Amino acid sequence: MMELIIAMLEKMGEDVDYRVREIDGEKPELVITVDDFEGFDEDWSEIMRDYDEEAVDGLIEWLEEHCISEDGDFYSYYHFEEFDVQLGYSSFDI
């Protein structure tokens, strides 16, 4: 199932970054970052980046529908039998 999610992410192009994080003794975690932050302007105000919100919403709906459980306050976590997914936005790291 992780391969299916990665295929969906590949279709989203530069709107998302992802990596698989593996920690000994734990399930792998697919870490997804939606790239919504472009940088700062000359006044150090944040510049937000346009991305395909419909595609991201579709991904989130798919994750919610197919996961065993979900949780999270800031980042969203979707738990599957063989792995977990962490979803966040690049603007979270500002």
Side-chain angles (χ1 to χ4, degrees):
M1 185 155 321
M2 185 185 293
E3 294 83 18
L4 178 61
I5 297 170
I6 290 174
M8 292 169 35
L9 296 171
E10 290 289 330
K11 290 180 183 177
M12 296 172 74
E14 294 182 4
D15 287 344
V16 295
D17 293 315
Y18 68 90
R19 65 186 172 91
V20 177
R21 179 171 40 202
E22 296 190 36
I23 299 172
D24 289 338
E26 295 183 22
K27 294 192 293 186
E29 183 175 58
L30 178 59
V31 179
I32 302 169
T33 305
V34 177
D35 192 13
D36 68 339
F37 178 69
E38 193 165 310
F40 296 97
D41 66 15
E42 62 277 349
D43 296 321
W44 288 98
S45 296
E46 298 168 5
I47 301 172
M48 301 310 287
R49 179 184 176 278
D50 290 331
Y51 62 93
D52 187 343
E53 292 180 40
E54 190 173 304
V56 172
D57 290 344
L59 171 66
I60 292 169
E61 288 174 17
W62 190 94
L63 292 169
E64 290 173 346
E65 184 176 318
H66 291 88
C67 71
I68 296 169
S69 66
E70 63 180 281
D71 59 68
D73 293 326
F74 198 56
Y75 288 88
S76 297
Y77 295 90
Y78 303 93
H79 306 285
F80 293 83
E81 192 170 314
E82 300 293 323
F83 63 96
D84 295 320
V85 173
Q86 173 191 306
L87 182 110
Y89 293 78
S90 57
S91 60
F92 289 0
D93 295 331
I94 300 173

